[in-house]
Amino acid sequence: MKTAIQSLVGLALLVVACSAPTKDAEKGNEGGAAGSAADAGSGAGAGGTAGAPDGGETDGGTPDGGACQGATDVGTCEGDTVVFCKDGALTRVDCAQIGSTCGVVDGKADCTDTGRSASCGSLTVLGTCEGAVLKYCDESGLTAVPREIDCAAYGQKCDPTGATDGGAICVPQGPCPSGLTEAGKCTGNTLTFCEDSEQYTFDCGVDQCQTAGGFADCFVVGTTTGCGTETREGRCDGQVRVNCQGVAPPGNDLTTGVVAREDCAQLGLECRSDGVGFRCLPPTKCSVTCPSGTTCTGGRCAPTTPPDKDWTFMVYMIGNNNLSRAAWSDINEMETVGSTSSVNIVAEIEFSEQYSWNLSDNLLGTTFRLPVSYDGDPSSAPSFADSDQLGDVNMSDPTQLTQFIRWGVEHYPAKHYALVMWNHGAGYNEAFTDGGKVMSLKDLVTGIRDSGEHLDLLGFDACLMGMHEVAYAMRGVADFMVGSEEVEPGGGYPYGAVLQHLVDDPSLTGQALGTAIVDEYTTSYSGDYRPYSVTNAVLDLSKAEETQGYVSDLAGALRKDLPGKRAAARSLLDSSDLLRFTQKESTDVISILNTFGTFGSATGPAATAFSAYLGGTGMVVHSQAIGDVSDARGLALFLPQSGSGYFYSTGAIEGYKSRTSFLPMQAWTSFATAVKSDETPPTPGTGAVDHFSVVLEWGNAVNSDTSGADLDLYVFEPSGDFGTPAKGSVSGSGLLSPDSYESGVSKESYELAANHETGTYVVIARFYQGPSGEVAYPTLQVFRPDLPGGSRTLLRAKTVNRKLTQVPMDNSKPLNGKIDATNFQGVLRLDYSNLWYATTIEVK
């Protein structure tokens, strides 16, 4: 498990990422001023102590005794609180408000050092071995950072003196014993094989070591290579398609394939022959009752009478989370256009009672369903006057999504329908969270399918949804899809610009509307004062089945080339040539093909054919990408890392298998399993919790509710990456609010995602910039289940002579580089005006 300071090495990235042109003016406050710490539940009511003006809470005493009630100047500790006598009055200082504890300092009870350290401890640059794990001190950067490499993830062992400098290094198990070949063998559930005359050994872990076709490997349970009597063309078992997948060319080598089963009806499709093989194809009859005003025609629900409107644009806005303020902003953006005689704009929306900063109370506690009308005032939303109030419903329930789509079709009929799913996204993982509830990819398909309406366009105003797996799942419910490979900034789609395209030209096709979304979205994040990295693409879902064929063929070719190259394949998983996104196992398809294209004689032709398809008549019909991900080409695919931590290896494989089990991804999963890492999850630290969230807020004075400064919240995660609203609304392990610059409110938040890493999380605030001479006083409200009352508010403050004084942030004495061993204690002492190391949280 990484230490707290190990996660801080990403701060160098922070500085680089924020070296953008300076803003012209003060940070906007169009959405209203930030609330005070008390507004967020700080002080004694939130589990902390509000304190007196000088930083101590005084008590005048009781009628029957001295004012200090027996306390002395030496003082005592009551939990985290220092209790002592000062100027004849009982005084308390809550050390927890500065992330400290109470202890004896210089003979008196006082707030003690937090004990955080930037040192490598006893580790040296030469390193040491703990079993198969190599541990060393990395001094290559500005700080000494502890590192770990699990040699077993590469089938190797740790040699404590095997490196050229006499240090520790991962080496093969030793020379190949007699009889061990590249084909390998299974001993129990342990795989051993020979490569370049060296022995490699892997524990297959949750998978199964088996020999098929003379080749030993770790197989996904139930998908042993070899298809028996099943064919590539397949067959229908009722509505279940059965076929041999992952057949390697040339000669259709069935020994590389796996048997795949797919329930076509689950996807809104029908199993039948297309004249070449058996496929999941558009249905010939409707599987659900059509919405009123429509009739089943040719397997789809179609209007009984021709509608007057050209389009109904539906937005399903699950705002009961830390994107709540963004939901309010986006409704206001939609109102700058509003419904017209040709276009219906409708939405279902719920706000969060926790994160709806400065929103009217009458917008909270219920779910609204409404038509969007025109209004030019960004501070009001008159559309809510015409809304239906549904009560506090669970918008992550697919049944609720079904009801919204049917309501839109029945009350606002049109020739064409677009649905935008609005929330936090996570690709194939569960996402679309309403409070603590989530919607799976399978649930999402079910919710749309059961509406009975086939969509012209499905848009994801959500992170990381531009994956092949998502598109493959949606091929039965929509014609085109818009999805981003990378995370989206909290501002999401520029709805005013997008909808203006539609009302200006209601004859737009689904593909053309998708193209407008992609172009306007990318333009909105180009040339801003922050260097955004965004992607977006339009996908033709009629090509999803064909694309899956190329994915399966690539998997079969890779499996055919694996003998003798298994160690090399694992090494390629960590190649810098792979374009990985914030969710690290999500990888750009073109970069996979380029990286593995020369892997072997079977893989080369398969990769070349796949690349030519994507560059020609493939599923990606239009894409845009800027910033650090400018090489993205519009489509991502699951690919685990090797030896890079439990969360992105074994854990990711098992999560992927379970969450895509309704799709025939077995051939690709089988390849990914063959090259994955089998690491043990790290042990949680003392006092670890399984959930937490933090809210950073600030003002230009203590308890002020206004600020022209721009602060950034950073949460460094165990992987070494960091989550910040300035980077996007999803990180590797967290869900984030919009950036304060976008929301106009001096608050930002981070919430731990359901699917997260184990380890240490470090919370930091950074003063980005602000008007000349203006300072910012930050507070951090920490929500975690083990705190009294469930939360505590931390202050950027010092205790000097037991006096707690808040210390503001500005750029008068900044730290512009990494936090390292030479300045770490200075950061804790608040010597640097632009940084606040607020707290660390252990997560299990």
Side-chain angles (χ1 to χ4, degrees):
M1 181 173 60
K2 297 185 177 182
T3 63
I5 189 59
Q6 187 170 357
S7 296
L8 294 178
V9 295
L11 194 60
L13 298 176
L14 178 158
V15 174
V16 172
C18 293
S19 57
T22 304
K23 283 186 291 185
D24 295 331
E26 293 185 2
K27 174 184 172 185
N29 275 299
E30 295 84 353
S36 67
D39 294 332
S42 61
T49 302
D54 67 350
E57 182 185 73
T58 60
D59 189 333
T62 59
D64 62 344
C68 286
Q69 302 179 36
T72 67
D73 179 63
V74 172
T76 59
C77 291
E78 292 183 0
D80 292 331
T81 302
V82 182
V83 183
F84 63 102
C85 187
K86 177 183 179 183
D87 299 329
L90 186 66
T91 305
R92 290 181 169 87
V93 175
D94 184 6
C95 302
Q97 287 189 288
I98 57 171
S100 185
T101 58
C102 181
V104 177
V105 180
D106 296 329
K108 293 183 177 181
D110 206 344
C111 295
T112 65
D113 191 343
T114 58
R116 291 170 285 191
S117 173
S119 169
C120 277
S122 60
L123 282 180
T124 68
V125 68
L126 296 178
T128 185
C129 293
E130 291 187 8
V133 178
L134 187 162
K135 297 185 175 182
Y136 69 102
C137 187
D138 183 359
E139 298 181 353
S140 61
L142 295 178
T143 183
V145 180
R147 302 286 191 191
E148 293 185 8
I149 299 175
D150 185 359
C151 299
Y154 298 89
Q156 299 181 327
K157 63 182 180 180
C158 185
D159 184 336
T161 59
T164 55
D165 60 0
I169 191 173
C170 292
V171 297
Q173 300 288 340
C176 295
S178 176
L180 185 65
T181 68
E182 294 177 345
K185 66 175 183 179
C186 292
T187 305
N189 208 36
T190 299
L191 167 67
T192 306
F193 61 87
C194 185
E195 186 168 310
D196 297 329
S197 300
E198 297 284 357
Q199 177 182 331
Y200 293 82
T201 301
F202 295 92
D203 180 355
C204 288
V206 296
D207 297 300
Q208 193 171 10
C209 191
Q210 297 182 50
T211 301
F215 180 58
D217 211 339
C218 297
F219 289 96
V220 180
V221 176
T223 60
T224 305
T225 300
C227 289
T229 59
E230 301 297 344
T231 66
R232 183 186 180 101
E233 290 72 26
R235 61 185 175 88
C236 288
D237 182 2
Q239 285 302 311
V240 177
R241 178 197 181 197
V242 185
N243 76 316
C244 183
Q245 195 182 75
V247 179
N252 287 343
D253 185 358
L254 294 177
T255 64
T256 66
V258 297
V259 177
R261 300 175 65 86
E262 177 181 24
D263 185 350
C264 299
Q266 165 65 44
L267 304 171
L269 298 168
E270 184 178 279
C271 188
R272 65 176 191 273
S273 173
D274 65 354
V276 177
F278 291 85
R279 303 282 186 271
C280 290
L281 298 172
T284 56
K285 59 183 180 180
C286 299
S287 59
V288 298
T289 303
C290 288
S292 62
T294 67
T295 306
C296 185
T297 304
R300 291 186 179 180
C301 297
T304 305
T305 59
D308 295 329
K309 300 282 185 96
D310 290 288
W311 277 92
T312 294
F313 189 92
M314 301 177 282
V315 189
Y316 193 68
M317 307 181 73
I318 312 177
N320 186 20
N321 47 65
N322 56 3
L323 290 176
S324 187
R325 280 291 314 185
W328 170 256
S329 298
D330 282 350
I331 280 288
N332 274 276
E333 288 179 13
M334 295 177 208
E335 286 187 333
T336 63
V337 177
S339 300
T340 68
S341 59
S342 299
V343 176
N344 299 307
I345 304 171
V346 299
E348 181 165 317
I349 183 171
E350 182 178 0
F351 298 103
S352 165
E353 296 190 56
Q354 179 178 350
Y355 296 108
S356 295
W357 306 313
N358 303 329
L359 292 188
S360 172
D361 288 345
N362 61 16
L363 293 175
L364 308 180
T366 190
T367 303
F368 298 92
R369 190 177 283 169
L370 51 90
V372 178
S373 57
Y374 172 77
D375 172 53
D377 183 356
S379 64
S380 67
S383 297
F384 285 94
D386 296 324
S387 66
D388 296 331
Q389 297 189 29
L390 309 179
D392 186 10
V393 301
N394 175 14
M395 290 185 68
S396 294
D397 185 343
T399 302
Q400 188 65 27
L401 174 59
T402 296
Q403 292 172 356
F404 168 64
I405 299 172
R406 292 180 72 92
W407 170 83
V409 171
E410 292 173 353
H411 290 81
Y412 302 93
K415 300 171 186 174
H416 305 284
Y417 294 94
L419 171 69
V420 174
M421 293 298 300
W422 189 105
N423 192 242
H424 289 296
Y428 67 89
N429 284 296
E430 291 95 347
F432 298 96
T433 174
D434 180 340
K437 302 172 285 290
V438 295
M439 184 184 295
S440 69
L441 182 60
K442 184 177 181 181
D443 288 340
L444 184 54
V445 175
T446 299
I448 302 174
R449 179 202 65 194
D450 287 353
S451 72
E453 185 60 44
H454 187 89
L455 304 168
D456 294 79
L457 179 68
L458 172 61
F460 287 105
D461 192 2
C463 296
L464 302 162
M465 299 303 290
M467 297 190 74
H468 165 67
E469 292 85 348
V470 177
Y472 193 43
M474 300 299 159
R475 69 192 190 276
V477 297
D479 292 333
F480 291 91
M481 177 185 124
V482 174
S484 169
E485 293 179 85
E486 185 53 291
V487 297
E488 288 191 357
Y493 288 0
Y495 283 94
V498 168
L499 291 170
Q500 195 62 54
H501 278 274
L502 192 58
V503 299
D504 287 347
D505 184 6
S507 67
L508 288 179
T509 63
Q511 180 178 341
L513 177 56
T515 298
I517 292 174
V518 169
D519 290 346
E520 292 293 349
Y521 170 82
T522 310
T523 299
S524 71
Y525 294 106
S526 302
D528 207 323
Y529 88 109
R530 287 193 184 277
Y532 286 107
S533 295
V534 299
T535 70
N536 225 329
V538 183
L539 307 179
D540 182 350
L541 298 183
S542 69
K543 304 291 184 66
E545 178 69 39
E546 194 173 14
T547 304
Q548 172 62 17
Y550 282 99
V551 171
S552 298
D553 287 350
L554 178 66
L558 286 164
R559 290 307 304 266
K560 188 171 185 177
D561 286 336
L562 269 180
K565 294 186 176 182
R566 281 178 278 202
R570 291 191 180 227
S571 178
L572 286 177
L573 293 181
D574 296 327
S575 169
S576 60
D577 293 331
L578 289 172
L579 177 54
R580 294 185 179 274
F581 301 101
T582 296
Q583 184 173 281
K584 298 301 182 184
E585 68 268 28
S586 182
T587 312
D588 185 74
V589 172
I590 290 295
S591 77
I592 295 174
L593 299 176
N594 291 340
T595 302
F596 283 87
T598 58
F599 182 66
S601 59
T603 303
T608 298
F610 197 173
S611 295
Y613 168 72
L614 290 175
T617 60
M619 184 162 56
V620 181
V621 295
H622 182 68
S623 69
Q624 295 269 25
I626 59 174
D628 293 339
V629 292
S630 59
D631 289 335
R633 291 295 175 264
L635 189 66
L637 180 66
F638 172 85
L639 186 71
Q641 290 181 303
S642 175
S644 300
Y646 172 79
F647 186 65
Y648 294 134
S649 50
T650 304
I653 285 279
E654 294 311 302
Y656 182 75
K657 287 194 293 188
S658 65
R659 295 179 183 107
T660 62
S661 60
F662 68 104
L663 299 172
M665 300 301 300
Q666 288 89 341
W668 187 250
T669 305
S670 184
F671 160 68
T673 301
V675 293
K676 72 175 175 61
S677 166
D678 288 303
E679 297 177 76
T680 302
T683 303
T686 303
V689 295
D690 59 7
H691 185 265
F692 76 89
S693 62
V694 293
V695 178
L696 175 71
E697 59 179 315
W698 59 95
N700 58 12
V702 175
N703 293 330
S704 168
D705 59 0
T706 60
S707 177
D710 186 357
L711 270 61
D712 288 327
L713 171 67
Y714 290 85
V715 179
F716 288 81
E717 298 168 339
S719 65
D721 199 2
F722 61 90
T724 175
K727 192 177 176 183
S729 60
V730 170
S731 64
S733 291
L735 309 175
L736 297 110
S737 69
D739 181 55
S740 59
Y741 177 66
E742 297 171 350
S743 69
V745 179
S746 301
K747 294 189 182 185
E748 294 184 356
S749 70
Y750 174 102
E751 183 171 0
L752 189 69
N755 187 31
H756 58 258
E757 299 169 89
T758 296
T760 303
Y761 289 70
V762 180
V763 183
I764 288 180
R766 180 174 184 264
F767 188 97
Y768 182 63
Q769 65 183 41
S772 177
E774 182 166 329
V775 299
Y777 288 84
T779 62
L780 184 83
Q781 191 171 14
V782 181
F783 296 88
R784 36 188 292 180
D786 59 334
L787 291 174
S791 71
R792 171 171 282 148
T793 298
L794 304 180
L795 309 176
R796 188 177 193 264
K798 295 181 180 181
T799 57
V800 181
N801 296 326
R802 295 173 171 173
K803 181 178 180 180
L804 190 149
T805 305
Q806 287 189 246
V807 181
M809 300 182 74
D810 56 29
N811 271 328
S812 62
K813 189 181 177 183
L815 174 62
N816 293 318
K818 283 185 180 180
I819 296 176
D820 60 32
T822 67
N823 57 40
F824 182 66
Q825 291 303 318
V827 172
L828 295 183
R829 292 192 305 265
L830 309 184
D831 292 349
Y832 302 98
S833 63
N834 65 330
L835 290 174
W836 176 30
Y837 186 123
T839 188
T840 60
I841 300 172
E842 293 294 328
V843 170
K844 59 186 176 181

